[in-house]
Amino acid sequence: MEAELMGLAASVATTVVGAFATDTYTALKNRLGALFGWGGQEREDSVLRELDELDGDMSLARARGDDARAAALADRAEELVRDRVRRLLAEQPSSADDVRDLLTGTGDTVIHGTMAVGGQVHVSNVHHHYHGEEPAVPRQPVLTSALPLPYLALGPVLHYQNNEALLLRMNAAWESCRAAQVPTRMYLHGLPGMGTSATAREWLHRRREELTGRPHLTASLGRDAWGNVPEPAAVLERWFGELGVPVEDVPADPGARSAYFRRLVARTPVVLLLEDVVLASQIEPLLPNTPDSVVLITSTSRLPSLVRTLNAEPFEMGPLGLVHSRRLLVEVGRIGADEARYEEELDLITDACGGLPLALCIAGAQLAVGPAGRVRELAVELSDRTTRLGALDMEEELSSALDPGYRALAPDAAALYRCIGLHPAEEFEVDLVRAMLPDLDAAARSRALRQLTTANLIEPIGDGQGGYRVRHRLIHDHALACARADEPVPVQEAIQDRIIGYRLEFVERTEAALSSRHRHDPAGVYAAYAPTGTVDAPALIASLERRRESLENVVRLAHETGRHQQTWRLAQGLHTFYLKCGLHSPWITTHELAVRSAEECRDRMALARMYFELGFAHLDRWSTLQGDPEAARGYFERALELVRPEDGDATEAQRRTESSVLEALGLAERKAGDPAGALRHYALGLAALEGIDHPRGRALFALHRGTACTDLRRHDEAKRELLSARDQFAALPVPDPYNQARALTRYAEDRRAAGLPDAAVRALDDATEIMTENGPPYQRASIHLLRGDLLGESGDRHAARRDWTTARDLFLEANSLRAQEADQRLVGSESAGGDVE
């Protein structure tokens, strides 16, 4: 009998860990919770919380290709479930039937990424991936008559209370703009904490039937902790990523980028929510011109130019009336049946808050978590003029409203609250909690998070990734003030060290998985982090994107607190992510800090690498209006000065960096229209690699040289270099089909320029065959478009139309507006008398 029970426990453990790789885990977790819940909610939560953490850790380890780490985590998860089920069966033998039912209803094996649960088959959540240098951002199909994503959850705003008249006036403004066939632009402004964002979201919820199905985009345009205002170009970069726009299509110059956004959303009405606007100039580059589009703007400032130049309809948010104020206080405070008992005290609190929603929520949060009698205490505090001012003057008096609730927290929850304050962003993940408070076990972390959530200080993000956010930035400020007041300076420093150290390990592990490029690595971590299995690049990109604000704030925190080595290492670890996603604005900002920190470190190689990476950010963006060509060259020249020792005896690291800089300078010369100058730099870069084992670098130089030779009409040299590049990419330890196809496409372009269209078509046939199974849609579309052009020029219009049709469909799959180019060719071929399929 005992052996059977041991076998049951082992089978359940195997099933649970197998479910980690599929989307069945949520359903399976609910059944586990029912089994484990006999010992009490806290005991159940402890096990499930730890399983959730192991699930997240395993997903990241698998995505990074860290098979050894994933296997160790799987063993830990199996041990946890096996021991828990054994205890359950030992203490309650009658539960064996329930355990058997769970196994009967759940397939106990995972095959080809699927698992059976009940009558359903669930598919793995793991994205497909490619080995290559193409952008690895997961893209959503399909950009046709309407954009496919993203959408705001138009649920009701929790505890919302407000004057119905304002919402009715917003309705009237919307109807007026719709009747006039012009975009709706509404501007809500009021004091901090007055509820402008809540009102905007409530209006969206109430109009959900008319707005559901439209793409919704949001942006927070308020100042960050250092007083910086987000750049419109950076907002557009993020929106392009959310809309799945290929980075190859995004224009470099700010004006062209705004025009491209308007063109992108011109096909369908969209909804924008622009919150905490500081300057009117932030808005204009982000506005669509589509009739029936809706833009909601919130601000704590009066911005007349929004009305004067952008024709935004203004709505001033006033305080809540007494009835609504009282209702908000009672709901947030969970007063319930005690409302009549504390009638007078609640009236005093309501009156003291002056109709300010945030003040009412803060007071309500104190009542929700405070001890019995807290209503009377708070009423007395707010009735006294010397203390009442604190609750109503938000910047100066927030702490007097929040302190009682903070003091009522259990020690672990209070410690977590202080840690959250020291974290430089309002969003955080459960795994960061574990890093900040390593001595807390899963059960204690779960209790602390639950208490802060119940106290309305934090809230789950709801993305299924275990994330949380502080409910208001002023609460985040209060948490920081508590940390400064209650934690000794050495403890504060230790917490920040753990925050920065955790983020640093995360970005370096992810960078090691995304790219094998050369990096300055005095700590020797990249060799240890090198993937041992298959890398899921889109999943890693998504995990970085979820944490991007936190990571960028940690870079600034590290720099401003004198942790200079961590600063440039963090920036170096974000390089490939920024490159693949085309996020030039944060790329440049973080690497400017990294340069300054590398200077402070007096590490010449670190400084050379940061100059190179900052120059490459400008090279990749290449906006002449923003001075990128000059900036890129300037940074590259500084990097070269640092890696060329006077005695000429350069180390391998210096020579690798010199080669990379010379390659980048060659790319810059070609972009500037000087292919001969590019070839000179490529020759020097290749010479710097003499004696160094770097086959990928040599293959890239062959590709670059062949392209420059085509520009110079040196077609024999171009043929030799480009075919050599194809062969070298194929011969790499991990063959690179993406760049094989790139080399063949460049060769086809050369053959076309040389007047040899048949050879060009054959090269594209080979490129298409390489890309058929695993090539990214955008590249495949470009190949088909070019081959269609060549076939059309040769008179084979039927085959040309077939390629153009395929190109159009693939560009649509890649969410690229270049689908219009293929459509124009198809229309042109019809008007020219081409065959109609």
Side-chain angles (χ1 to χ4, degrees):
M1 181 65 176
E2 182 177 351
E4 180 188 359
L5 296 181
M6 295 280 285
L8 271 177
S11 295
V12 171
T14 302
T15 298
V16 170
V17 175
F20 279 0
T22 74
D23 62 4
T24 67
Y25 177 61
T26 299
L28 186 57
K29 184 173 69 173
N30 293 336
R31 301 190 67 175
L32 285 174
L35 277 176
F36 297 161
W38 70 270
Q41 182 70 32
E42 184 174 307
R43 194 168 181 179
E44 170 198 341
D45 285 351
S46 174
V47 176
L48 297 182
R49 170 69 70 184
E50 190 165 355
L51 285 175
D52 282 345
E53 292 178 1
L54 288 166
D55 180 22
D57 291 345
M58 284 180 62
S59 295
L60 276 174
R62 285 172 172 153
R64 288 192 294 248
D66 190 348
D67 289 351
R69 171 74 171 156
L73 291 166
D75 290 344
R76 168 63 188 137
E78 285 199 20
E79 179 185 1
L80 175 67
V81 177
R82 187 168 54 246
D83 290 350
R84 185 67 185 85
V85 174
R86 282 176 182 169
R87 273 192 292 148
L88 172 65
L89 293 172
E91 296 171 10
Q92 282 205 347
S94 61
S95 63
D97 288 339
D98 293 330
V99 175
R100 292 189 188 96
D101 287 344
L102 183 147
L103 289 173
T104 301
T106 304
D108 59 2
T109 58
V110 179
I111 301 174
H112 300 308
T114 65
M115 172 178 271
V117 175
Q120 294 184 317
V121 175
H122 299 261
V123 182
S124 170
N125 286 324
V126 178
H127 293 87
H128 295 293
H129 60 276
Y130 310 109
H131 292 285
E133 295 299 11
E134 77 282 2
V137 183
R139 300 298 181 188
Q140 300 286 336
V142 166
L143 180 64
T144 52
S145 61
L147 300 171
L149 81 163
Y151 298 101
L152 281 178
L154 298 179
V157 177
L158 188 64
H159 306 310
Y160 182 79
Q161 299 289 334
N162 210 335
N163 190 339
E164 293 295 320
L166 181 118
L167 293 168
L168 291 174
R169 295 201 330 264
M170 292 175 68
N171 288 343
W174 183 41
E175 295 295 347
S176 175
C177 291
R178 294 176 74 185
Q181 288 288 294
V182 297
T184 300
R185 297 168 181 171
M186 293 188 282
Y187 159 46
L188 285 71
H189 62 95
L191 292 174
M194 193 60 77
T196 53
S197 290
T199 299
R201 291 172 183 272
E202 178 69 12
W203 186 84
L204 287 173
H205 169 64
R206 296 190 183 193
R207 310 308 303 189
R208 61 190 178 279
E209 291 186 4
E210 296 96 333
L211 299 176
T212 295
R214 299 185 184 192
H216 290 63
L217 297 164
T218 66
S220 177
L221 299 175
R223 297 186 187 277
D224 63 18
W226 294 273
N228 299 310
V229 175
E231 297 179 9
V235 174
L236 288 172
E237 283 175 358
R238 179 170 61 80
W239 284 355
F240 288 144
E242 291 177 5
L243 293 168
V245 175
V247 294
E248 298 91 338
D249 284 358
V250 177
D253 292 326
R257 186 168 289 187
S258 296
Y260 184 85
F261 172 68
R262 294 188 179 100
R263 181 182 167 206
L264 184 70
V265 300
R267 306 173 176 217
T268 183
V270 295
V271 176
L272 303 187
L273 178 57
L274 308 176
E275 300 178 282
D276 301 323
V277 173
V278 178
L279 304 169
S281 58
Q282 295 174 278
I283 297 294
E284 190 168 5
L286 307 177
L287 295 180
N289 292 325
T290 315
D292 210 22
S293 61
V294 176
V295 181
L296 297 181
I297 304 163
T298 73
S299 179
T300 58
S301 304
R302 295 180 182 273
L303 301 172
S305 56
L306 288 180
V307 180
R308 185 180 69 254
T309 62
L310 303 179
N311 198 31
E313 187 69 23
F315 296 92
E316 183 171 5
M317 295 288 299
L320 298 180
L322 287 176
V323 173
H324 289 140
S325 296
R326 172 69 172 271
R327 191 179 304 158
L328 178 60
L329 177 67
V330 168
E331 287 187 7
V332 174
R334 275 71 167 175
I335 303 299
D338 289 334
E339 183 174 0
R341 178 182 174 189
Y342 295 112
E343 189 78 25
E344 182 178 350
E345 290 85 354
L346 292 171
D347 282 344
L348 288 171
I349 295 171
T350 300
D351 183 63
C353 289
L356 196 65
L358 181 58
L360 289 158
C361 288
I362 292 168
Q366 295 180 52
L367 301 182
V369 301
R374 179 59 186 150
V375 178
R376 291 193 175 93
E377 292 177 3
L378 185 60
V380 170
E381 292 172 10
L382 294 179
S383 298
D384 187 333
R385 182 178 180 184
T386 62
T387 56
R388 180 174 67 240
L389 181 61
L392 301 181
D393 185 355
M394 296 307 298
E395 294 293 341
E396 297 296 330
E397 307 291 342
L398 182 67
S399 60
S400 67
L402 280 176
D403 276 347
Y406 161 64
R407 301 299 175 194
L409 294 172
D412 288 346
L416 175 56
Y417 186 65
R418 294 190 293 271
C419 288
I420 292 169
L422 290 167
H423 183 242
E426 293 165 26
E427 293 189 0
F428 61 96
E429 314 85 44
V430 173
D431 51 2
L432 179 65
V433 174
R434 184 173 50 196
M436 293 189 297
L437 296 170
D439 294 333
L440 292 188
D441 60 19
R445 290 195 296 272
S446 180
R447 286 193 301 270
L449 287 165
R450 188 164 58 245
Q451 187 175 10
L452 293 181
T453 303
T454 303
N456 275 324
L457 298 171
I458 64 173
E459 60 184 350
I461 292 176
D463 60 359
Q465 303 295 329
Y468 288 83
R469 71 165 61 90
V470 181
R471 290 187 65 89
H472 194 281
R473 64 185 178 185
L474 296 178
I475 294 175
H476 194 224
D477 292 344
H478 178 260
L480 176 60
C482 291
R484 298 289 189 226
D486 295 348
E487 296 285 17
V489 171
V491 174
Q492 296 178 44
E493 293 293 324
I495 293 170
Q496 288 188 330
D497 281 341
R498 289 195 289 270
I499 290 170
I500 294 170
Y502 169 75
R503 295 298 191 196
L504 178 59
E505 179 183 354
F506 177 82
V507 298
E508 288 186 331
R509 283 187 182 276
T510 306
E511 166 72 5
L514 287 173
S515 174
S516 60
R517 71 188 184 93
H518 175 71
R519 289 160 288 243
H520 182 43
D521 187 20
V525 298
Y526 281 102
Y529 295 159
T532 58
T534 303
V535 173
D536 185 356
L540 291 182
I541 294 292
S543 69
L544 284 161
E545 181 57 43
R546 284 193 300 273
R547 295 165 173 82
R548 182 158 73 88
E549 181 183 359
S550 295
L551 294 170
E552 290 164 1
N553 284 348
V554 164
V555 174
R556 187 174 289 276
L557 173 67
H559 173 73
E560 296 198 348
T561 58
R563 295 170 170 89
H564 294 300
Q565 186 183 64
Q566 291 94 323
T567 301
W568 68 255
R569 285 176 60 187
L570 281 161
Q572 180 177 243
L574 290 168
H575 174 94
T576 301
F577 166 60
Y578 287 145
L579 173 63
K580 287 181 177 291
C581 296
L583 297 170
H584 299 106
S585 298
W587 187 358
I588 291 169
T589 300
T590 56
H591 279 72
E592 286 173 343
L593 293 176
V595 163
R596 286 152 56 189
S597 280
E599 289 172 341
E600 292 290 334
C601 290
R602 301 185 184 279
D603 183 333
R604 289 175 63 87
M605 183 54 66
L607 184 56
R609 294 301 303 184
M610 293 307 100
Y611 276 138
F612 163 66
E613 293 189 359
L614 180 55
F616 205 91
H618 286 282
L619 170 67
D620 196 62
R621 185 173 66 178
W622 202 255
S623 166
T624 55
L625 293 179
Q626 296 176 88
D628 286 332
E630 296 80 8
R633 290 190 184 94
Y635 289 128
F636 291 150
E637 293 295 342
R638 293 183 202 177
L640 282 180
E641 292 172 4
L642 291 166
V643 296
R644 287 175 167 170
E646 293 181 3
D647 61 6
D649 188 16
T651 65
E652 179 176 328
Q654 289 173 320
R655 290 164 59 198
R656 279 179 172 268
T657 300
E658 180 182 6
S659 176
S660 296
V661 173
L662 289 165
E663 176 189 10
L665 279 167
L667 294 172
E669 292 300 331
R670 181 171 183 265
K671 283 191 173 187
D674 184 6
L679 283 174
R680 288 192 293 273
H681 282 102
Y682 296 151
L684 292 171
L686 190 60
L689 290 178
E690 185 177 352
I692 296 176
D693 182 22
H694 189 18
R696 182 177 185 79
R698 289 181 169 79
L700 285 169
F701 272 120
L703 176 61
H704 298 329
R705 290 200 308 271
T707 304
C709 286
T710 297
D711 295 339
L712 294 168
R713 304 191 67 81
R714 289 155 53 174
H715 299 299
D716 289 343
E717 293 176 67
K719 175 181 178 179
R720 182 174 62 253
E721 294 285 359
L722 292 169
L723 293 181
S724 174
R726 175 203 59 187
D727 295 341
Q728 291 180 65
F729 284 122
L732 292 175
V734 178
D736 184 349
Y738 173 83
N739 276 311
Q740 289 179 62
R742 275 184 69 197
L744 285 167
T745 303
R746 296 288 182 269
Y747 176 59
E749 292 169 345
D750 177 80
R751 297 297 88 184
R752 184 188 195 187
L756 301 170
D758 292 342
V761 170
R762 288 194 298 271
L764 294 174
D765 291 342
D766 292 342
T768 301
E769 185 176 352
I770 291 172
M771 288 286 98
T772 296
E773 303 231 347
N774 63 351
Y778 190 93
Q779 186 191 22
R780 291 161 57 200
S782 299
I783 293 170
H784 281 285
L785 188 69
L786 178 58
R787 190 170 67 177
D789 291 348
L790 287 163
L791 292 168
E793 291 168 4
S794 69
D796 191 347
R797 286 193 291 267
H798 181 80
R801 286 182 56 81
R802 187 167 58 243
D803 265 326
W804 290 331
T805 301
T806 302
R808 178 195 60 196
D809 294 343
L810 287 169
F811 277 132
L812 288 173
E813 184 180 345
N815 284 342
S816 172
L817 291 181
R818 290 193 65 194
Q820 297 172 359
E821 296 179 31
D823 274 332
Q824 290 168 357
R825 287 163 170 77
L826 289 166
V827 171
S829 69
E830 288 181 6
S831 63
D835 298 323
V836 178
E837 298 178 9

